[in-house]
């Protein structure tokens, strides 16, 4: 099968997220929410951009979240998905997932940087 998937994984943000727990649960939740939001945006944009012949490619889109929600896998599980994305010797490429992934993952990284840099220390009464 030639399924196609892209991953938003904490490994690409390892330095930033290495000590995410020390920032507090509210910061970790904001980061998890940003990753979830971005994964859904990538899925939605890839559905819009996917070529339509039978509708099967568009219907095959999915998002799987990592257990800790600090990563997600987005893809299309139609058996010809990668042939459409990358092309073959008989068919030109019609990218639909990777452009959405690249555009949104850049925005996500910038948003996560803002979340972590602008964090507020939890209120601690004296």
């Amino acid at each position: 099968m030639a399924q196609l998937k892209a991953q938003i994984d904490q490994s690409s943000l390892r330095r930033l997220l290495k000590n995410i727990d020390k920032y507090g649960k509210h910061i970790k939740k904001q980061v998890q929410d940003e990753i979830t939001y971005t994964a859904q945006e990538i899925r939605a944009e890839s559905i819009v951009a996917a070529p339509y012949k039978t509708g099967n490619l568009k219907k095959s889109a999915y998002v799987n979240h990592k257990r800790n929600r600090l990563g997600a896998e987005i893809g299309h599980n139609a058996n010809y998905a990668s042939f459409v994305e990358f092309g073959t010797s008989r068919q030109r490429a019609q990218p639909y997932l990777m452009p959405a992934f690249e555009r949104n993952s850049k925005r996500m990284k910038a948003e996560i940087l803002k979340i972590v840099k602008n964090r507020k220390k939890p209120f601690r009464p004296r």
Side-chain angles (χ1 to χ4, degrees), residues 4-22:
L4 181 64
K5 64 183 176 182
Q7 293 187 352
I8 298 174
D9 195 341
Q10 66 186 17
S11 62
S12 65
L13 299 167
R14 185 160 288 146
R15 281 192 349 214
L16 181 63
L17 300 178
K18 183 170 75 174
N19 297 313
I20 192 73
D21 290 323
K22 80 176 183 180

Side-chain angles (χ1 to χ4, degrees), residues 3 5 9 18-19 21 24 32 38 48-49 51-54 69-70 75 80-82 93-94 97 99 103-104 110 116:
Q3 296 177 1
K5 64 183 176 182
D9 195 341
K18 183 170 75 174
N19 297 313
D21 290 323
Q32 289 170 327
T38 301
V48 170
Y52 183 88
K53 191 169 185 177
T54 65
R69 289 187 46 231
L70 287 175
Y80 53 88
S82 65
Q94 297 175 312
L97 178 61
R103 189 171 37 258
N104 284 283
V116 173

Side-chain angles (χ1 to χ4, degrees), residues 6-14 16-17 30-42 45 65 69-74 100-116:
Q7 293 187 352
I8 298 174
D9 195 341
Q10 66 186 17
S11 62
S12 65
L13 299 167
R14 185 160 288 146
L16 181 63
L17 300 178
Q30 289 176 24
V31 170
Q32 289 170 327
D33 290 347
E34 183 61 38
I35 291 170
T36 298
Y37 173 80
T38 301
Q40 293 300 333
E41 285 293 303
I42 292 168
E45 286 185 23
H65 294 282
R69 289 187 46 231
L70 287 175
E73 177 183 282
I74 307 99
F101 176 79
E102 290 169 5
R103 189 171 37 258
N104 284 283
S105 62
K106 286 178 185 175
R107 185 202 48 78
M108 179 197 68
K109 288 177 185 179
E111 289 299 317
I112 290 174
L113 275 170
K114 284 185 207 172
I115 291 168
V116 173

Side-chain angles (χ1 to χ4, degrees), residues 41-52 58 61 76 95-96 100:
E41 285 293 303
I42 292 168
R43 179 184 176 276
E45 286 185 23
S46 72
I47 289 170
V48 170
Y52 183 88
K58 290 178 181 280
H76 290 255
Y96 57 94

